[in-house]
Amino acid sequence: MSPLSDTTNMAAAVCGTPLFRHIRHMWFTITPAYIITFCIYLIMGFRQTPDAMSPEQIDIILSGLSHHFHLGVGAVLPMLLVLVMLLRRCSPILAITCGALCGVLVAVVCNGMDVSAAFNSMWKGFHADFGDSPMLDKLLNRGGVTSMLNIMCLVVLACGLGGMLRRMGVIDVALEPLARRANTGFRLVLSTLVVGYGTLMLTAAIYFSIVMTGTLMAPVFRRHGFRTENCSRVVEDASTLGGPLVPWANNALFPMATLSVAYLDYIPYVYLLFLTPCFSILYSLCNITMTRLTPEEMAAEQREAQNA
């Protein structure tokens, strides 16, 4: 839901939906699913007795943080700057860049970091020795642009593959039976969910699934008179939220490795991931929130299809 989220920006861009329109449209499905999930977790939480962290562990963590950082109001400034810029509808790229540069300024002024070291942390990530706190070592020794290179390459390759398949006519041939049958909102939503989960299971990469599903299905939504925010919302429901449902995807492997929890142990409790696509299907059946193109937009879409 965040305007800074990579998957949120990607789904909106691939489907040709303005970012904040895409986020507003996701509220319709995610909000009721989130409220139901919250209530279930609240009831489950009152029935559990958690193991509290010992005071010694807390002291070690606080000592490690205070030894390397000067925490205070200054540390919050980059986040506040990004939030204010996003609320003023600035470009997400501009907001993220300004937040990163503000973070460098805070590191230099408030924490006494060398300028070159600050920029190097932004590029290669932060690295420090936190002594007796392996949790801080794992949590904070990370980040930087280079940590995203694998994802960036995957996105570029997915976009390139999708573009080549479309220009070669492969996508149009593959979609013809689907487009012929998906002539209602319900069938469009169901088809998008199938494509999203299918590509996710084949590739185990949510980014590839988002790009391919959005590239395939967004033109079909427009062809049948539906706005692209309907497609981008369903793409998020399937490709983004479906990641932890596929046991060989990174989004499932990460919580399993981090929390030492088996797939079959946590999958019964991911209520949000099950409920959100159900609300998408329900809305399409009842024709709720399924925004349509205006007659002028539909005529422009038909002219564009004829010219193509």
Side-chain angles (χ1 to χ4, degrees), residues 7 72 124 148 166 184 193 244 262:
T7 55
K124 293 184 178 180
M148 300 293 290
R166 176 165 296 281
T184 64
L193 289 172

Side-chain angles (χ1 to χ4, degrees), residues 23-39:
I23 293 174
R24 285 196 303 268
H25 210 60
M26 284 201 299
W27 274 98
F28 296 116
T29 55
I30 203 74
T31 302
Y34 194 94
I35 292 173
I36 295 173
T37 301
F38 176 82
C39 292

Side-chain angles (χ1 to χ4, degrees), residues 11-22 227-232:
V14 169
C15 296
T17 307
L19 177 61
F20 285 96
R21 183 188 296 175
H22 167 64
R227 290 186 176 276
T228 55
E229 59 261 29
N230 300 292
C231 180
S232 59

Side-chain angles (χ1 to χ4, degrees), residues 197-238:
Y197 289 127
T199 54
L200 189 59
M201 286 188 287
L202 286 173
T203 64
I206 63 171
Y207 304 101
F208 187 91
S209 179
I210 289 173
V211 173
M212 290 304 298
T213 307
T215 302
L216 289 170
M217 297 306 301
V220 184
F221 272 81
R222 291 195 301 268
R223 194 180 311 161
H224 290 287
F226 291 94
R227 290 186 176 276
T228 55
E229 59 261 29
N230 300 292
C231 180
S232 59
R233 180 178 69 184
V234 184
V235 167
E236 291 259 51
D237 294 343

Side-chain angles (χ1 to χ4, degrees), residues 231-264:
C231 180
S232 59
R233 180 178 69 184
V234 184
V235 167
E236 291 259 51
D237 294 343
S239 301
T240 302
L241 294 182
L245 299 178
V246 179
W248 51 87
N250 288 336
N251 302 73
L253 295 174
F254 178 78
M256 284 192 284
T258 304
L259 304 176
S260 299
V261 177
Y263 175 78
L264 293 179

